[in-house]
C-alpha cells in the first residue's frame, strides 16, 4: 500500500487526527473483544481448550516435514493437484499458470490473507486477469482500492456512509443510502452475478488435515462455497502452517476459532473440501514464503501456530487506536508485528515497537502464542542487527553509562530536576513529545536518595 | 527478615514520597529494611527499547547492590517484572538467579509473604485502581480479564482494608494506559490517546484518586489530568496504604 | 528430479522446465522444514468431559435462535409438510431431498449444471446430526445433487432427528470418524455478515433463512 514510507508512529499519528473516529474504531473493536469474552466464558474448560490447541500446534510444528508429505500424498489420492511455492512470486505464477491453462481471465476469490501477503491481485491484474473479492468487507476495500485493515473484519475502518458512497459509485445504489441491510443486499445481487459467471474460484484455507488430505474453509457469508461449488476450477492457497494432524483435531479448533474471532459459537459454514466434484479441477498451493525460516527461529517459530482469528487485534489497545493500515503490512496488529519482521527486518523494524507490551494479546490467543514476549524479543534482534536509528543507540549507550555509574546518575538526576524546576521552558516545549499533550511531573526538592541520607543515615 | 528496598529511578527522582511510604509501610510490619544507596535503575528502559545487550553493566551494578538479601521489595510491578524476567550475568548467574527469585512487588509481598490481613490506614475517598500491565499480566497481581478463571486482586484485597476508601468500578478493568516506557514518546499520539481514555473511564465513574502499583503509568495519567486541569489526582498504592488521613 | 523418473513418460521441454521448477521448490521447502523444525512434541490426548447439566435439544434451539435460525420441534413429516406449506406458500421452486416432503416447480436433473439451481427458493435436506453447543448441522455431498444447493438456495430447511443432536464438536468428529466424503459441511444458521460497521445482516451470499425441524420420534 502507499503509505509514503511512513512508520507506524507517523501513520498512527495521522489516524489520531480525527479523535471521534478513533473513539468509534476503538469502541467497535472493543465490542468484538467483549463478545469474545462472553463466548469464552460460556465454555467450561476454555483454558484447557486453548492449552490443547496450543499443544496440537506444537506437535504440528515439530513434525511439519512428515505431516506435509502425508497431506500431499492424501490430497493427491483424493484427486487434488498439489503445488509447492517457495515464495510469493512462485505462488502468484502458479495461480496465474492454472488460470491461463484454462484460458480464464476472470476469477472470484474469497478471503485469503495469504494472497494479500503475496499481492496476488496486483500480479493477476498485470497479467490481464480480473479478480473479484467476494467477502463483503474485502469487496468494499477492493472498490475503495485499499488493502484490508483487519484479517477478519477487512473494512472495520470504514463508516457505513463511506460504503454507501462507494456502492453508489460502483454498484449504482441510490445516493445517500447507508443502511447496512440495504447495502448488503445490493452486494448480494452484485456478487451473485459474479459467482454465476466466473469459471474459477480461489479460496483460502483455515485448516488442512494430514490424515485425510482434506482442507477446511470457514466463512459466515457462504462466499467461499458459492465460488468453489459453481466454478470449474477451485484453487485453494495455504501457508503450510495450516496443517493439523487428524480430522478429530478440528473439533478443538472449530470450537476456538469463531468464538475467539467474533464471539460466535462457530462460523455459519465450516466446509470440508476433500475431493473435487465431478468434472471439476481442484488445486492446492502450499506456500512457504519465509515460513520455513521462521520455523527455524526458536524464539519466533510459534508465531506459526496462528489460526488468524484476529482476537489479538481486537484486544490490542494500540491497534484499536491506530487502525490496521498503520501497520503497513498484510496482517496488522500484534500477530502481524511478529510475523512481518521475519519477511523484511528493515521494512518492518518499527512494528515490534508499536506496542506497550501489555500482554493482552497473549491472553486472548486461542493457541497461546507468547505474542508480547516475541515483540520484546524482536526488539532485541532488530536493534542488535542494526535496524535502529544510530541516534537511538547513542542515547541508549549514554543512558547505560549514567545508570551504571551511581555517581553520574545522582549528578544527572540533580541537574535534570534542577533544569525542570528552574527553567521549565527548556523541557516544557513543543519539541518534547511528552509535553505535547501531557504535563511534566513536578520536580521534588530532593530525591529519595537524598532524603534517605538526611533522615535515616543516623539510624 | 531483612528486606532490601529497590526504588525505581523515576520514583527516586520524581516521586520520593512513594519510596518513603513504601519504607514506612514495611517498617510498620516489623520488617528490617535496608536501602542500598548505590542503586540506579533496573535497565528496563534500555531493554524494552531493544538494547538488552547494553544492560550488562547495569545488571552488574544491580547484583552488587541487591545480592544476599532475604527479599527485595519494589513499589513497581514493571521494574520487578523486568528483574524477574531479564536479570542475568554470565559471571554472577547464581546471584542473579537468587535475586530473580527473591524480588517482590510491594503488594504481592504484603499479601503473599507478610500475609497482611489488617491495615492501620484511612483514606476516605473514591478511588479507581489502574492495573499496570506488567504488574497484573506479568506478575499476576490480579486476575486478567481475558482469562476464564477465578477473579482475585492483591492490590484490591489491600485497598479494601483501608478505612473510608471506596473502590469504583470501571468499564475496562485492565486496559493498558499507554505509558509503555519509550512508547510514551516514540508513539506519542497513541500513547496519549490511550491515557486519555483511561482517565475518562476513571473520571466518569467518579474517581477522586487514581491509584496503582506503578508510578510510571500514574505519571503518564497525571500528566494528562493536569493538562486537562482536572481535580482528580494520582496516588501510588503505597501512599494510600500508608495514609492516615 | 526424482519426480521425472517416477512418472516415466515422455514430456516436452515446457513441462520439464515446470516440473524441474516446482519439484525443486518442493524439495527446497521440505529440506528447509526438516532443518528448521524443532524436536518432536507429543500430541495431547483430547479429553473434554460432556456437560452434564445440558439438555441437548434445549441448548441447540437456544443457540440456533441466537444465530438467526429458527427451530420447530415436530412429531411427524406431515407436520413438517404443513409448516412448509404455511411458511413457504409463495415459493415457486422447492427442491426436497427428503422423500416425505414434497418438491415444487422444476426438480433437478442429476449431473446438470449447478448454475441451474440459481432460482431455488427452498431446499429441504436431511442432516446427519446436529451439535448443541453451536447449533451446527452436518451435511455431506452424498446427500446432495450438487454441493452448491445448500448455499445457493434462498431459504434452507433441514430435518434433524432429536436423537441425532450431540453435545460438543468433539462428539461430532467422533461420529464422523474416518468416513469418506468428497465434501462435508457444518452449517450453523443462515448466511450472515457484519462487515458494515459490525451491524449483523442475515443473508449475505448463502441462504437468507434457516429453519430446522427437529423430529421427536
Amino acid at each position: 500500500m502507499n503509505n509514503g514510507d511512513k512508520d507506524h508512529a507517523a501513520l498512527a499519528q495521522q489516524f489520531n487526527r480525527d479523535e471521534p473516529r478513533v473513539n468509534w474504531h476503538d469502541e467497535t473493536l472493543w465490542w468484538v473483544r467483549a463478545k469474545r469474552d462472553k463466548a469464552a466464558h460460556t465454555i467450561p474448560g476454555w483454558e484447557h481448550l486453548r492449552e490443547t490447541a496450543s499443544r496440537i500446534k506444537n506437535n504440528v510444528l515439530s513434525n511439519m516435514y512428515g505431516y506435509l508429505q502425508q497431506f500431499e500424498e492424501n490430497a493427491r489420492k483424493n484427486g487434488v493437484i498439489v503445488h509447492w511455492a517457495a515464495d510469493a512470486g512462485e505462488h502468484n505464477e502458479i495461480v496465474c499458470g492454472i488460470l491461463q491453462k484454462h484460458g480464464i481471465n476472470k476469477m472470484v476469490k474469497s478471503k485469503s490473507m495469504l494472497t494479500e501477503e503475496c499481492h496476488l491481485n496486483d500480479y493477476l491484474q498485470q497479467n490481464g486477469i480480473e479478480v473479484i473479492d467476494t467477502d463483503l468487507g474485502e469487496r468494499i476495500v477492493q472498490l475503495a482500492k485499499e488493502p484490508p485493515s483487519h484479517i477478519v473484519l477487512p473494512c472495520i475502518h470504514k463508516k457505513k456512509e463511506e460504503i454507501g458512497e462507494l456502492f453508489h459509485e460502483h454498484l449504482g445504489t441510490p445516493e445517500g443510502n447507508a443502511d447496512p441491510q440495504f447495502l448488503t443486499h445490493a452486494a448480494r445481487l452484485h456478487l451473485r452475478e459474479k459467482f454465476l459467471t466466473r469459471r474459477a474460484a480461489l479460496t483460502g484455507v483455515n485448516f488442512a488435515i494430514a490424515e485425510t488430505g482434506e482442507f477446511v474453509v470457514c466463512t459466515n457469508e457462504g462466499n467461499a462455497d458459492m465460488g468453489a461449488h459453481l466454478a470449474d476450477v477451485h484453487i485453494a492457497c495455504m501457508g503450510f502452517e495450516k496443517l493439523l494432524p487428524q480430522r478429530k483435531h478440528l473439533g478443538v479448533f472449530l470450537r476456538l476459532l469463531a468464538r475467539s474471532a467474533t464471539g460466535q459459537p462457530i462460523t455459519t459454514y465450516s466446509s470440508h473440501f476433500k475431493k473435487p466434484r465431478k468434472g471439476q479441477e481442484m488445486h492446492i498451493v502450499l506456500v512457504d514464503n519465509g515460513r520455513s525460516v521462521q520455523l527455524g527461529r526458536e524464539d519466533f517459530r510459534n508465531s506459526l501456530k496462528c489460526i488468524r482469528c484476529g482476537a489479538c487485534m481486537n484486544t490490542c489497545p494500540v491497534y484499536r487506536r491506530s487502525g490496521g493500515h498503520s501497520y503497513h503490512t498484510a496482517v496488522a496488529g500484534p500477530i502481524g508485528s511478529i510475523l512481518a519482521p521475519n519477511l523484511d527486518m528493515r521494512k518492518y523494524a518499527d512494528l515490534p515497537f508499536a506496542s506497550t507490551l501489555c500482554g493482552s494479546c497473549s491472553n486472548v490467543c486461542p493457541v497461546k502464542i507468547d505474542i508480547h514476549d516475541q515483540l520484546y524479543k524482536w526488539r532485541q534482534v532488530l536493534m542488535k542487527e542494526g535496524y535502529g536509528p544510530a541516534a537511538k543507540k547513542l542515547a541508549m549507550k549514554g543512558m547505560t553509562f549514567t545508570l551504571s555509574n551511581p555517581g553520574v546518575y545522582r549528578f544527572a538526576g540533580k541537574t535534570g530536576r534542577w533544569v525542570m524546576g528552574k527553567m521549565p521552558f527548556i523541557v516544557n516545549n513543543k519539541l518534547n513529545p511528552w509535553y505535547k499533550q501531557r504535563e511534566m511531573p513536578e520536580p521534588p526538592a530532593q530525591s529519595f536518595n537524598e532524603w534517605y541520607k538526611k533522615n535515616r543515615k543516623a539510624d | 527478615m531483612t528486606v532490601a528496598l529497590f526504588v525505581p529511578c523515576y520514583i527516586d527522582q520524581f516521586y520520593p514520597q512513594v519510596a518513603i511510604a513504601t519504607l514506612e509501610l514495611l517498617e510498620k510490619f516489623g520488617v528490617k529494611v535496608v536501602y542500598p544507596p548505590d542503586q540506579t535503575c533496573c535497565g528496563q528502559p534500555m531493554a524494552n527499547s531493544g538494547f538488552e545487550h547494553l544492560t550488562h553493566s547495569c545488571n552488574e551494578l544491580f547484583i552488587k547492590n541487591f545480592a544476599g538479601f532475604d527479599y527485595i521489595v519494589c513499589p513497581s510491578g514493571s521494574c520487578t517484572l523486568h528483574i524477574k524476567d531479564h536479570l542475568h550475568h554470565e559471571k554472577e548467574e547464581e546471584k542473579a538467579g537468587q535475586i530473580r527469585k527473591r524480588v517482590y512487588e510491594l503488594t504481592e509481598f504484603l499479601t503473599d509473604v507478610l500475609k497482611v490481613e489488617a491495615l492501620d490506614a484511612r483514606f476516605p475517598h473514591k478511588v479507581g485502581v489502574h492495573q499496570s500491565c506488567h504488574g497484573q499480566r506479568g506478575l499476576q497481581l490480579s486476575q486478567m480479564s481475558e482469562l476464564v478463571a477465578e477473579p482475585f486482586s492483591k492490590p484490591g484485597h489491600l485497598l479494601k482494608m483501608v478505612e473510608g476508601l471506596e473502590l469504583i468500578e470501571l468499564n475496562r478493568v485492565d486496559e493498558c494506559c499507554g505509558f509503555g516506557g519509550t512508547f510514551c514518546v516514540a508513539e506519542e499520539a497513541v500513547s496519549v490517546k490511550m491515557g486519555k481514555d483511561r482517565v475518562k473511564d476513571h473520571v466518569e465513574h467518579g474517581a477522586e484518586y487514581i491509584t496503582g502499583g506503578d508510578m510510571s503509568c500514574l505519571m503518564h495519567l497525571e500528566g494528562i489530568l493536569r493538562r486537562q486541569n482536572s481535580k482528580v489526582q494520582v496516588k501510588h498504592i503505597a501512599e494510600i496504604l500508608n495514609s492516615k488521613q | 528430479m526424482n519426480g521425472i523418473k517416477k512418472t516415466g513418460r515422455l514430456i516436452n521441454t515446457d513441462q520439464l522446465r515446470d516440473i524441474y521448477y516446482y519439484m525443486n521448490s518442493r524439495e527446497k521447502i521440505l529440506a528447509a522444514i526438516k532443518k528448521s523444525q524443532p524436536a518432536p512434541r507429543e500430541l495431547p490426548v483430547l479429553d473434554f468431559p460432556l456437560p452434564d447439566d445440558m439438555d441437548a435439544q434445549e441448548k441447540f434451539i437456544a443457540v440456533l435462535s441466537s444465530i438467526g435460525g429458527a427451530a420447530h420441534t415436530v412429531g411427524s413429516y406431515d407436520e413438517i409438510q404443513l409448516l412448509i406449506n404455511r411458511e413457504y406458500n409463495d415459493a415457486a421452486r422447492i427442491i426436497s431431498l427428503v422423500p416425505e416432503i414434497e418438491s415444487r416447480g422444476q426438480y433437478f436433473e442429476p449431473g446438470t449444471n449447478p448454475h441451474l439451481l440459481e432460482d431455488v427458493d427452498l431446499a429441504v435436506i436431511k442432516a446427519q446430526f446436529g451439535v448443541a453447543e453451536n447449533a451446527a448441522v452436518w451435511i455431506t455431498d452424498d446427500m446432495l445433487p450438487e454441493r452448491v444447493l445448500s448455499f445457493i438456495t434462498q431459504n434452507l430447511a433441514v430435518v434433524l432427528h432429536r436423537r441425532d443432536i450431540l453435545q460438543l464438536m468433539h462428539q461430532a468428529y467422533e461420529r464422523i470418524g474416518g468416513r469418506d466424503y468428497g465434501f462435508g459441511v457444518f452449517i450453523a444458521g443462515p448466511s450472515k455478515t457484519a462487515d458494515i460497521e459490525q451491524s449483523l445482516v442475515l443473508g449475505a451470499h448463502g441462504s437468507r433463512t434457516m429453519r430446522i425441524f427437529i423430529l421427536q420420534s
Side-chain angles (χ1 to χ4, degrees):
Chain A
M1 77 184 272
N2 180 19
N3 54 45
D5 289 330
K6 285 188 176 137
D7 66 1
H8 181 273
L11 292 163
Q13 192 186 16
Q14 212 167 297
F15 188 76
N16 271 269
R17 280 189 199 136
D18 185 352
E19 193 171 353
R21 196 182 181 102
V22 179
N23 291 338
W24 166 78
H25 192 261
D26 166 64
E27 288 289 346
T28 309
L29 286 155
W30 179 261
W31 187 62
V32 183
R33 150 84 204 266
K35 285 196 293 179
R36 172 258 171 220
D37 288 355
K38 207 175 149 202
H41 281 272
T42 60
I43 304 295
W46 175 259
E47 301 302 334
H48 175 56
L49 201 55
R50 286 175 71 219
E51 178 61 27
T52 306
S54 167
R55 286 168 60 195
I56 294 169
K57 282 286 187 180
N58 283 336
N59 168 269
V60 171
L61 296 187
S62 77
N63 188 28
M64 192 66 83
Y65 181 73
Y67 287 142
L68 210 44
Q69 290 177 85
Q70 189 190 359
F71 173 74
E72 179 193 32
E73 192 189 332
N74 286 323
R76 288 212 162 118
K77 276 188 208 154
N78 294 335
V80 179
I81 303 159
V82 181
H83 309 259
W84 298 72
D87 53 32
E90 270 185 31
H91 162 265
N92 294 347
E93 284 169 26
I94 291 167
V95 173
C96 191
I98 297 167
L99 296 170
Q100 282 169 345
K101 194 184 100 189
H102 288 273
I104 292 172
N105 60 6
K106 288 173 174 183
M107 174 179 84
V108 285
K109 176 165 90 73
S110 71
K111 202 186 282 164
S112 150
M113 289 317 298
L114 176 68
T115 61
E116 294 291 334
E117 175 188 317
C118 297
H119 302 288
L120 175 72
N121 285 17
D122 291 343
Y123 181 86
L124 291 181
Q125 217 169 351
Q126 283 156 21
N127 284 277
I129 296 167
E130 176 214 65
V131 183
I132 301 281
D133 284 319
T134 57
D135 172 84
L136 176 59
E138 289 216 320
R139 184 66 185 138
I140 290 165
V141 290
Q142 188 179 37
L143 291 174
K145 298 190 169 55
E146 289 174 15
S149 67
H150 187 293
I151 58 175
V152 175
L153 320 161
C155 70
I156 196 69
H157 61 291
K158 282 228 169 301
K159 294 221 174 192
K160 59 185 181 198
E161 290 78 15
E162 294 162 336
I163 298 165
E165 269 174 48
L166 269 175
F167 277 27
H168 171 64
E169 186 189 334
H170 295 277
L171 310 186
T173 56
E175 200 168 0
N177 195 327
D179 174 47
Q181 180 100 34
F182 176 82
L183 296 175
T184 302
H185 186 65
R188 177 183 171 96
L189 298 179
H190 159 71
L191 288 165
R192 231 168 217 246
E193 188 270 327
K194 310 291 177 203
F195 288 128
L196 288 163
T197 52
R198 301 304 188 258
R199 288 168 48 220
L202 188 145
T203 68
V205 169
N206 290 91
F207 308 101
I209 311 300
E211 174 192 47
T212 59
E214 74 199 290
F215 59 92
V216 175
V217 183
C218 303
T219 75
N220 279 322
E221 299 184 6
N223 56 316
D225 290 282
M226 283 293 278
H229 304 315
L230 289 170
D232 302 336
V233 182
H234 176 188
I235 307 169
C237 301
M238 60 178 268
F240 64 65
E241 80 281 15
K242 297 284 178 189
L243 277 179
L244 293 179
Q246 297 156 27
R247 196 184 258 169
K248 69 177 180 193
H249 295 129
L250 286 167
V252 174
F253 287 90
L254 290 180
R255 292 186 77 193
L256 284 166
L257 178 64
R259 289 188 174 100
S260 298
T262 60
Q264 292 172 261
I266 191 169
T267 49
T268 304
Y269 304 108
S270 309
S271 299
H272 300 48
F273 293 90
K274 191 156 182 266
K275 300 170 189 170
R277 68 171 201 277
K278 211 173 159 227
Q280 188 197 38
E281 205 172 281
M282 194 182 277
H283 298 260
I284 292 172
V285 188
L286 294 167
V287 183
D288 182 338
N289 203 34
R291 286 162 176 79
S292 58
V293 178
Q294 188 88 322
L295 187 62
R297 296 181 196 270
E298 194 186 340
D299 284 343
F300 304 113
R301 66 165 57 107
N302 85 26
S303 60
L304 294 171
K305 287 155 74 180
C306 178
I307 57 170
R308 302 291 191 270
C309 70
C312 63
M313 304 182 176
N314 306 335
T315 202
C316 178
V318 176
Y319 174 88
R320 278 187 261 114
R321 293 177 185 81
S322 60
H325 290 158
S326 66
Y327 293 81
H328 57 91
T329 172
V331 180
I335 183 68
S337 300
I338 60 173
L339 291 173
N342 178 57
L343 287 173
D344 188 336
M345 288 203 210
R346 185 168 301 282
K347 197 172 167 194
Y348 301 119
D350 57 325
L351 295 185
F353 293 91
S355 162
T356 59
L357 306 181
C358 82
S360 187
C361 46
S362 305
N363 277 348
V364 295
C365 178
V367 289
K368 296 179 104 168
I369 301 171
D370 53 341
I371 304 176
H372 73 295
D373 286 334
Q374 290 193 38
L375 287 166
Y376 176 89
K377 287 174 185 163
W378 266 119
R379 292 181 184 186
Q380 311 308 323
V381 171
L382 292 164
M383 293 307 107
K384 220 171 176 175
E385 306 259 324
Y387 292 105
K392 190 167 163 188
K393 188 161 186 177
L394 209 63
M396 287 298 154
K397 278 195 168 153
M399 204 188 230
T400 310
F401 175 73
T402 307
L403 296 175
S404 308
N405 295 280
V408 180
Y409 165 76
R410 282 195 291 272
F411 177 75
K414 251 183 208 164
T415 51
R417 271 181 292 122
W418 183 83
V419 165
M420 281 187 49
K422 305 288 175 190
M423 286 187 281
F425 61 88
I426 290 182
V427 177
N428 287 359
N429 67 43
K430 285 281 177 189
L431 293 176
N432 178 355
W434 177 281
Y435 186 69
K436 210 171 144 194
Q437 302 185 69
R438 282 166 291 208
E439 298 297 323
M440 300 295 290
E442 300 266 14
Q446 57 184 358
S447 70
F448 175 72
N449 193 294
E450 289 162 331
W451 176 91
Y452 191 84
K453 272 182 191 150
K454 276 183 211 153
N455 293 276
R456 293 297 172 96
K457 207 62 182 172
D459 289 4
Chain B
M1 180 198 295
T2 307
V3 164
L5 181 62
F6 159 28
V7 178
C9 52
Y10 57 90
I11 286 185
D12 173 50
Q13 292 294 316
F14 294 120
Y15 300 98
Q17 73 275 17
V18 173
I20 295 168
T22 306
L23 174 67
E24 289 179 354
L25 192 59
L26 289 169
E27 285 173 345
K28 269 188 199 170
F29 288 101
V31 175
K32 191 186 165 212
V33 186
V34 174
Y35 169 68
D38 278 349
Q39 60 181 292
T40 59
C41 168
C42 61
Q44 181 174 203
M46 286 88 79
N48 273 6
S49 304
F51 293 90
E52 196 181 321
H53 60 288
L54 295 180
T55 59
H56 186 264
S57 48
C58 219
N59 289 350
E60 199 170 276
L61 180 67
F62 196 92
I63 292 166
K64 207 173 123 196
N65 279 317
F66 289 99
F69 291 99
D70 297 332
Y71 295 101
I72 299 146
V73 175
C74 173
S76 159
S78 189
C79 303
T80 304
L81 181 69
H82 180 75
I83 292 300
K84 244 187 202 326
D85 282 357
H86 301 293
L87 185 77
H88 290 283
H89 197 279
E90 76 271 17
K91 283 187 203 137
E92 308 267 24
E93 194 46 37
E94 202 194 319
K95 283 182 186 169
Q98 254 176 15
I99 292 174
R100 292 198 302 270
K101 261 189 236 137
R102 294 177 185 182
V103 68
Y104 278 81
E105 183 273 342
L106 175 65
T107 63
E108 74 176 335
F109 183 74
L110 294 175
T111 313
D112 298 349
V113 180
L114 296 184
K115 303 198 187 306
V116 170
E117 288 301 338
L119 274 171
D120 182 21
R122 193 178 128 79
F123 194 74
H125 299 284
K126 283 185 160 186
V127 175
V129 179
H130 173 68
Q131 314 259 18
S132 90
C133 302
H134 286 170
Q136 196 219 5
R137 296 197 186 81
L139 297 172
Q140 303 189 6
L141 299 181
S142 28
Q143 190 54 275
M144 300 161 266
S145 64
E146 301 90 2
L147 301 187
V148 181
E150 282 298 305
F152 68 89
S153 170
K154 291 174 192 178
H157 177 67
L158 293 168
L159 287 168
K160 279 179 188 155
M161 298 174 200
V162 177
E163 194 194 327
L165 186 145
E166 187 189 333
L167 281 178
I168 59 151
E169 300 278 327
L170 294 169
N171 287 340
R172 302 186 189 180
V173 290
D174 53 9
E175 172 112 316
C176 177
C177 69
F179 172 70
T182 46
F183 182 88
C184 73
V185 283
E187 287 264 7
E188 185 266 342
V190 178
S191 170
V192 168
K193 182 59 186 145
M194 286 168 69
K196 280 162 82 175
D197 291 353
R198 224 55 317 269
V199 160
K200 193 165 169 249
D201 200 356
H202 285 271
V203 172
E204 280 180 356
H205 287 87
E208 296 167 64
Y209 288 87
I210 302 175
T211 191
D214 265 291
M215 212 54 225
S216 49
C217 305
L218 295 179
M219 173 170 77
H220 165 65
L221 297 177
E222 182 186 42
I224 290 165
L225 284 165
R226 280 181 42 217
R227 180 61 61 91
Q228 295 174 345
N229 293 316
S230 169
K231 283 188 191 138
V232 177
Q233 294 178 46
V234 300
K235 231 175 207 353
H236 190 276
I237 193 165
E239 296 177 85
I240 293 182
L241 299 180
N242 192 45
S243 176
K244 293 290 279 178
Q245 265 189 28
Chain C
M1 303 320 298
N2 294 340
I4 294 172
K5 278 181 199 157
K6 270 183 205 159
T7 57
R9 50 194 164 84
L10 281 174
I11 44 178
N12 66 34
T13 338
D14 276 353
Q15 282 172 318
L16 182 71
R17 202 175 55 219
D18 281 354
I19 288 170
Y20 173 77
Y21 193 56
Y22 296 122
M23 286 310 287
N24 194 24
S25 283
R26 180 186 186 275
E27 277 147 29
K28 217 160 56 188
I29 294 166
L30 284 171
I33 287 172
K34 198 174 184 184
K35 207 176 106 224
S36 291
Q37 73 185 19
R41 303 278 293 266
E42 285 288 300
L43 264 178
V45 177
L46 302 190
D47 172 25
F48 298 95
L50 286 176
D52 43 17
D53 57 341
M54 189 163 98
D55 176 287
Q57 174 173 273
E58 202 180 300
K59 175 84 180 169
F60 185 93
I61 293 172
V63 175
L64 183 64
S65 84
S66 77
I67 57 175
H72 302 268
T73 51
V74 291
S76 67
Y77 284 103
D78 288 345
E79 213 179 312
I80 299 174
Q81 185 68 63
L82 282 172
L83 282 163
I84 285 179
N85 292 348
R86 193 184 74 197
E87 297 291 335
Y88 303 98
N89 190 28
D90 296 338
R93 190 174 180 198
I94 297 177
I95 291 185
S96 171
L97 304 171
V98 182
E100 294 85 349
I101 304 298
E102 289 167 10
S103 293
R104 195 185 294 168
Q106 195 198 347
Y107 205 60
F108 65 90
E109 299 287 329
T112 54
N113 186 345
H115 292 69
L116 299 176
L117 296 168
E118 198 241 332
D119 60 349
V120 173
D121 293 306
L122 175 69
V124 187
I125 54 183
K126 227 175 203 170
Q128 295 184 10
F129 60 84
V131 185
E133 68 162 320
N134 54 23
V137 291
W138 177 247
I139 291 155
T140 49
D141 60 348
D142 51 351
M143 309 153 75
L144 301 168
E146 273 296 339
R147 291 176 187 182
V148 81
L149 179 65
S150 40
F151 307 94
I152 203 169
T153 178
Q154 296 291 337
N155 302 284
L156 182 62
V158 173
V159 178
L160 174 69
H161 285 276
R162 180 178 185 166
R163 60 169 185 270
D164 293 327
I165 300 178
L166 313 171
Q167 304 261 32
L168 304 176
M169 287 299 280
H170 310 294
Q171 280 82 57
Y173 281 101
E174 266 169 37
R175 174 110 168 223
I176 295 169
R179 254 203 64 183
D180 192 28
Y181 48 74
F183 173 77
V185 61
F186 280 108
I187 303 183
S191 85
K192 59 180 78 68
T193 181
D195 273 348
I196 302 178
E197 285 199 10
Q198 279 295 292
S199 303
L200 181 69
V201 179
L202 301 182
H205 301 303
S207 74
R208 291 198 283 202
T209 67
M210 187 187 195
R211 227 171 257 286
I212 298 187
F213 300 103
I214 305 173
L215 266 171
Q216 302 298 303
S217 55

